Amino acid sequence: MIILKRTDSDNPDFMALVKSLDAYLAVTDGDDHSFYSQYNKVDKIRHVVLAYENEKPVGCGAIKAFDDDAMEVKRMYVSPECRNKGIARKILSELESWAGEISFKKCVLETGKRQPDAIALYEKCGYRQIPNYGQYIGVENSVCFEKLLNRS
């Protein structure tokens, strides 16, 4: 059974998962890794979701304010041995719920073209591709997405 926990970036389980994520991205992004890593700092993130399976941390994701209407999804990761179990979808759904609860209207995110599984996840979860934003404008390997949140 997967248990989700809301926390922040000071959580040691989050820090350990981010270390694994960064090692994975260093390989996946290749020469582009140093460019991307400068935009993925994790200090002072107040909205982090962790996924636990049998009390072991197996996945994470975070959101941070992008502008007055949008939260940016950051640091999405599931341990390789736990993939294809719907964990990333659960984390993303929880992040979207949290963003809506604190009055944001949409989520935006950036991922890399070399991460087809991530792109497929976001598309399955209702994200639509948008023009690259901010620091990702003109970056060939980047793909940006957004999703309007259902708010009651």
Side-chain angles (χ1 to χ4, degrees):
M1 186 165 104
I2 302 300
I3 304 293
L4 298 179
K5 175 183 176 181
R6 291 182 179 186
T7 186
D8 61 31
S9 60
D10 291 334
N11 185 294
D13 291 337
F14 177 66
M15 298 305 290
L17 286 163
V18 165
K19 187 174 180 181
S20 296
L21 168 61
D22 286 339
Y24 166 77
L25 290 175
V27 173
T28 305
D29 292 337
D31 293 340
D32 295 332
H33 184 66
S34 61
F35 169 78
Y36 290 109
S37 66
Q38 68 182 319
Y39 300 113
N40 287 314
K41 305 297 181 215
V42 294
D43 57 327
K44 300 181 183 104
I45 296 177
R46 296 186 351 222
H47 305 94
V48 169
V49 171
L50 294 173
Y52 291 86
E53 185 175 51
N54 300 321
E55 300 182 16
K56 177 185 175 204
V58 296
C60 64
I63 49 174
K64 67 177 192 174
F66 178 72
D67 60 26
D68 290 342
D69 292 326
M71 289 294 257
E72 186 176 24
V73 176
K74 307 292 286 179
R75 313 291 27 211
M76 286 288 297
Y77 179 73
V78 174
S79 300
E81 68 276 8
C82 294
R83 292 182 185 162
N84 301 310
K85 295 181 178 182
I87 296 170
R89 186 181 290 230
K90 289 177 181 178
I91 293 168
L92 188 58
S93 179
E94 184 71 9
L95 291 169
E96 293 165 0
S97 294
W98 203 353
E101 288 167 21
I102 52 179
S103 300
F104 284 86
K105 295 180 177 123
K106 64 183 176 178
C107 286
V108 298
L109 62 88
E110 180 276 340
T111 192
K113 288 182 181 176
R114 297 181 196 117
Q115 297 170 44
D117 292 345
I119 292 170
L121 167 73
Y122 298 131
E123 289 174 342
K124 276 189 247 172
C125 291
Y127 283 76
R128 67 175 186 85
Q129 191 171 342
I130 58 172
N132 287 5
Y133 57 79
Q135 64 267 24
Y136 306 112
I137 293 172
V139 177
E140 179 62 31
N141 184 47
S142 288
V143 185
C144 294
F145 291 90
E146 78 172 6
K147 180 179 180 180
L148 298 178
L149 301 174
N150 297 326
R151 292 175 48 211
S152 347

